[in-house]
Amino acid sequence: MHDFNLFYALATIVGVFAVIMGTCAMLIFIERKVAAWVQDRLGPNRVGPAGLLQSVADGLKFLLKEDIIPRQVDKVLFLMAPAIAMCTALLAFAVVPFGATSVPPERPDLMVIPVSGPVIDPMNDPNVARLVTKFADYDRRTAQYRESYQFVIAPGLDIGIVFVFAITSLAVYAIILGGWAANNKYSFIGGLRSSAQFVSYEIPLGLSILGVVLMTGSLNLEKIIWDQTGGGWNIFVQPLAWLIFVTAGLAECNRVPFDLPEAEQELVGGYHTEYSAMKFAMFFLGEYTHLVTTSFLNVIVFFGGWHFPFIATAESGWLIKLLVIAVKVACFILFFMVVRWTLPRFRFDQLMALAWKVLIPLAIANLICVMIVKQLGWSVWILGPVSIGILIGAAWLSVQPMRVEKASAAM
Amino acid sequence: MPPEPGFDLSAYFPIFLYLAIILGFAGTTLILAHVVGPRRDTSVKLMPYESGMDPVGDARQRFDVKFYLLAIMFLVFDVELLFLYPWAVVAYREGGLPAFLSGPVFWGVLVFIALLLVAYVYDWRKGVFRWR
């Protein structure tokens, strides 16, 4: 279906790579500035004008510091872990559209064309003729799709969001290998906790997206954006799904309030206690790239991607679409940063209870609601109030301490 | 000639290219940091960190069986999720499921989720999700 265009692919990859690296460097600086504002301090302001070169100085220092490999570590795994952390975070971005995209044409299905009679004369059969025109149309649109530049590294990949989940879930190997290889008690406990957290939150993350997939009928992120340009953003239709998605996404990023693996007060540095210099920087880079990817996914799946009413519609130019999606993503990243400096950290049992006892049942309830609405052919707009209803119900259940106590005492 | 619906490897070529570049970058960074950075090893510096004390015993000890139970629960739910994705894609899109299959598939998926919920409730009652 897609001819592989080496020039487009290389240009996009180099561009994306440079932008992600630059963004991550800037994000570290911005994070420190936001922290400073929240805590009424000045933040970094010595290196360069207004401290803007702080990230460059940090990067150089990471490179020039001593690269300690402790004696007791498992050397191969110890070196592999930061590389895995960085590679998986970067690779997940491959299918994320970061600007204007059009929808990849869908191949017409042979199965649904009914046979018109017992005898088929392929030359004169009207169904065959219809099929032939369908395929001709498909070929024409494919050629069109291929000619126009798409703002995504791998355009038209039909597994889309599943690819992102598959790759980001590999990041758990980095954490558990890093924790295991370091042969340090803090690292080991941090790695264990972190892997438990990772796998737990992956399930609500995957379940929350199912509702959107049911409505769109595709896993392709370009198609998901396109679907929202006509009928309103998914956040209005499925607010509950978004809430689950953003919570689980925060946990997958290892950010406060879910940064248990790095709880300094109890675990020193968690799984990266023994890491120093560039290897530590690679873990860091992976984490920030993951943050960027999560923000992009939030924007694309629930907030309409490059679409914004009256400003960026389907007919707008590519520059305005790029700007709209960039602004949306920036808002999300700032939101995540403010959350980090606002909320205290969870306790580990609370963390696990939130994933297994709250998010998973809510996600399944949401999925069943979407199923029923789609099956009965109702308008999807019913789902918004229903979502809020479920949320209020869950909140009401959660403030019934007596009942919960009794239930656990009876066990 | 009727085309096979679906898979086309060439759509993945940009990803392979991207992966190669990333791996190259990661390898270069690791080697560069090793070459550029100074190395002054002392026996204390190469000890595992344990809050300034000499490390006691090995770090790789037995740990709570809860993590194991959790891993199994994760497997159950994750495999369930993998089964639901293909269904979610074809269930309600144009030209997806034929109309006569719509009802049976709907009830089938409901039963599938219900079966999982039974296991879920059982685990909850058994206290798998309780951490102490």
Side-chain angles (χ1 to χ4, degrees):
Chain A
M1 168 173 157
H2 309 281
D3 275 7
F4 173 53
N5 189 325
L6 186 69
F7 174 71
Y8 274 177
L10 259 183
T12 317
I13 288 171
V14 170
V16 166
F17 199 75
V19 169
I20 287 185
M21 288 294 158
T23 315
C24 284
M26 277 321 286
L27 280 184
I28 295 169
F29 171 72
I30 294 169
E31 173 112 59
R32 291 178 63 183
K33 273 290 188 195
V34 169
W37 288 330
V38 171
Q39 298 166 349
D40 202 13
R41 311 182 267 119
L42 283 174
N45 62 353
R46 288 304 162 101
V47 190
L52 274 172
L53 293 179
Q54 183 68 44
S55 302
V56 182
D58 286 348
L60 279 177
K61 241 184 167 178
F62 274 135
L63 197 62
L64 296 175
K65 283 287 172 182
E66 181 170 356
D67 191 26
I68 302 170
I69 303 178
R71 204 183 300 118
Q72 300 197 348
V73 304
D74 189 323
K75 255 193 181 165
V76 179
L77 297 183
F78 189 73
L79 288 174
M80 253 169 71
I84 295 176
M86 197 181 73
C87 292
T88 51
L90 282 170
L91 189 63
F93 205 79
V95 294
V96 176
F98 52 89
T101 46
S102 45
V103 185
E106 261 172 61
R107 189 186 295 273
D109 205 335
L110 286 172
M111 306 271 287
V112 292
I113 305 291
V115 181
S116 56
V119 182
I120 303 174
D121 176 13
M123 288 303 131
N124 296 319
D125 192 286
N127 279 323
V128 171
R130 212 178 308 146
L131 203 61
V132 166
T133 44
K134 259 192 173 176
F135 270 101
D137 185 51
Y138 167 74
D139 284 344
R140 189 181 50 76
R141 282 190 302 152
T142 308
Q144 228 172 36
Y145 178 76
R146 224 186 283 142
E147 269 166 31
S148 57
Y149 177 72
Q150 310 290 332
F151 284 79
V152 54
I153 290 176
L157 202 63
D158 43 9
I159 55 170
I161 196 150
V162 172
F163 177 83
V164 180
F165 287 163
I167 297 295
T168 49
S169 66
L170 288 180
V172 77
Y173 282 106
I175 288 167
I176 202 150
L177 286 182
W180 174 263
N183 207 348
N184 174 318
K185 293 184 185 90
Y186 295 118
S187 304
F188 184 59
I189 299 170
L192 267 183
R193 273 189 180 190
S194 190
S195 48
Q197 172 186 337
F198 242 77
V199 298
S200 300
Y201 279 87
E202 224 157 79
I203 298 162
L205 195 72
L207 277 173
S208 64
I209 218 80
L210 270 176
V212 175
V213 175
L214 267 179
M215 296 199 319
T216 311
S218 174
L219 295 166
N220 184 293
L221 289 168
E222 295 140 88
K223 181 96 194 318
I224 291 178
I225 295 181
W226 199 259
D227 237 44
Q228 297 173 70
T229 57
W233 298 351
N234 284 333
I235 173 74
F236 301 120
V237 184
Q238 302 202 14
L240 180 62
W242 174 68
L243 212 57
I244 296 165
F245 187 77
V246 78
T247 314
L250 264 180
E252 293 280 292
C253 289
N254 268 340
R255 288 184 69 82
V256 179
F258 303 104
D259 67 335
L260 269 288
E262 294 155 48
E264 293 92 348
Q265 292 85 348
E266 25 192 300
L267 283 180
V268 189
Y271 58 91
H272 54 53
T273 304
E274 292 288 358
Y275 282 96
S276 55
M278 208 59 205
K279 293 202 285 295
F280 173 72
M282 286 165 86
F283 272 120
F284 225 67
L285 204 65
E287 224 162 86
Y288 275 91
T289 312
H290 204 139
L291 175 69
V292 173
T293 313
T294 308
S295 305
F296 262 104
L297 283 184
N298 266 297
V299 167
I300 288 163
V301 177
F302 290 100
F303 285 84
W306 42 257
H307 175 257
F308 200 92
F310 309 117
I311 297 177
T313 51
E315 290 84 32
S316 309
W318 60 271
L319 190 64
I320 192 98
K321 288 177 181 172
L322 197 65
L323 278 179
V324 164
I325 201 166
V327 169
K328 281 183 186 175
V329 168
C331 288
F332 253 100
I333 291 175
L334 277 180
F335 166 69
F336 284 143
M337 283 182 176
V338 174
V339 164
R340 169 166 183 180
W341 299 105
T342 312
L343 296 180
R345 184 181 292 139
F346 279 115
R347 229 169 43 219
F348 195 66
D349 61 326
Q350 293 170 329
L351 181 88
M352 285 295 143
L354 180 65
W356 289 97
K357 296 184 179 175
V358 180
L359 292 184
I360 289 179
L362 277 182
I364 290 179
N366 180 62
L367 172 66
I368 291 176
C369 285
V370 179
M371 263 176 84
I372 291 172
V373 167
K374 283 303 254 186
Q375 183 69 24
L376 298 180
W378 293 344
S379 157
V380 288
W381 290 100
I382 297 170
L383 282 169
V386 168
S387 276
I388 294 168
I390 296 175
L391 193 64
I392 291 172
W396 180 79
L397 270 180
S398 71
V399 292
Q400 307 285 319
M402 288 306 288
R403 289 183 32 179
V404 175
E405 290 297 316
K406 258 185 218 155
S408 60
M411 272 163 51
Chain B
M1 197 173 68
E4 280 283 319
F7 190 69
D8 180 6
L9 193 65
S10 69
Y12 291 79
F13 285 169
I15 291 181
F16 296 144
L17 188 66
Y18 187 43
L19 180 64
I21 291 175
I22 292 170
L23 286 178
F25 178 77
T28 323
T29 328
L30 279 176
I31 293 167
L32 197 69
H34 207 70
V35 173
V36 174
R39 283 194 75 82
R40 280 181 291 275
D41 296 346
T42 64
S43 66
V44 175
K45 197 190 272 175
L46 296 185
M47 238 181 226
Y49 174 76
E50 215 165 293
S51 308
M53 319 290 269
D54 286 351
V56 181
D58 197 62
R60 291 160 191 172
Q61 294 171 357
R62 291 191 288 179
F63 55 89
D64 200 339
V65 72
K66 287 261 173 207
F67 289 104
Y68 178 72
L69 283 178
L70 197 82
I72 290 183
M73 277 309 285
F74 164 71
L75 269 185
V76 172
F77 272 90
D78 215 37
V79 170
E80 180 233 9
L81 211 57
L82 277 182
F83 280 123
L84 286 180
Y85 271 113
W87 159 76
V89 170
V90 295
Y92 297 111
R93 78 155 167 210
E94 285 170 52
L97 276 185
F100 70 92
L101 272 180
S102 165
V105 166
F106 174 73
W107 289 110
V109 171
L110 270 190
V111 169
F112 181 59
I113 294 175
L115 282 177
L116 192 88
L117 281 180
V118 172
Y120 177 74
V121 170
Y122 175 78
D123 279 359
W124 190 324
R125 301 291 295 177
K126 276 283 179 189
V128 173
F129 307 137
R130 240 181 330 156
W131 290 72
R132 267 172 304 201

